[in-house]
Amino acid sequence: MAAGNRTSLTDSGLISRAAGALNPQEVSAGFWVGDVGAAVEAEDGQVFTGACIGGHLSVCAELGAVSQLVASTAPTITRIVAVWRDPADGALHIIPPCGRCRELLRVISQRNLEATVILGPGHTTTLRDLLPVPGWHAERVDPETT
Ligand SMILES: [Zn+2]
């Protein structure tokens, strides 16, 4: 679900783009696809969207959006958001990237640690804050202290 047009979106505009990637379908018992949508904004302003392929084989919506990103431009993003719409009442919810997606974003570009992660209306953080000890971390243990 690529949409590589360059824009200057507000956070709510990016949220709308993520919501536009929603296409919930229960393709087999308990196996949903398209029930989470994501949008990422590249450093060059392009926006890419993706939808999740859920269940035990899980491919996150963020991964779909990042796949479109890397197919078109550099792997560094400035913002990311993912959304899910509650089928019970139709309310849209913003959800944070899972740990795998956070680590993937860091691995493809260290600059992504400074990317804005939209957590809610008027509520943002950075990927760095969601990955407080990113990457390989090893602290030597002195044998005399153990
Ligand atoms: Zn994920």
Side-chain angles (χ1 to χ4, degrees):
M1 301 184 72
N5 46 329
R6 290 174 172 79
T7 58
S8 177
L9 285 175
T10 61
D11 284 354
S12 25
L14 197 66
I15 293 164
S16 293
R17 293 292 295 274
L22 291 170
N23 185 23
Q25 306 164 70
E26 188 175 21
V27 294
S28 62
F31 192 95
W32 286 82
V33 298
D35 59 333
V36 175
V40 297
E41 178 186 59
E43 276 190 319
D44 63 9
Q46 294 186 79
V47 173
F48 301 92
T49 61
C52 76
I53 303 169
H56 61 288
L57 301 173
S58 184
V59 175
C60 298
E62 294 92 330
L63 297 182
V66 167
S67 178
Q68 296 295 332
L69 168 83
V70 301
S72 298
T73 188
T76 306
I77 65 168
T78 54
R79 285 185 293 173
I80 183 168
V81 66
V83 298
W84 168 78
R85 190 177 301 285
D86 187 343
D89 63 5
L92 190 67
H93 297 262
I94 297 170
I95 55 178
C98 75
R100 180 179 63 170
C101 288
R102 295 174 196 187
E103 177 67 2
L104 178 91
L105 287 164
R106 183 194 67 81
V107 168
I108 63 173
S109 173
Q110 291 293 315
R111 293 203 312 273
N112 284 342
L113 288 170
E114 309 314 320
T116 296
V117 180
I118 299 173
L119 295 175
H123 182 196
T124 63
T125 189
T126 62
L127 184 62
R128 180 179 300 282
D129 286 341
L130 295 178
L131 279 173
V133 186
W136 176 251
H137 178 81
E139 294 184 20
R140 183 184 171 107
V141 178
D142 185 342
E144 295 177 11
T145 63
T146 57

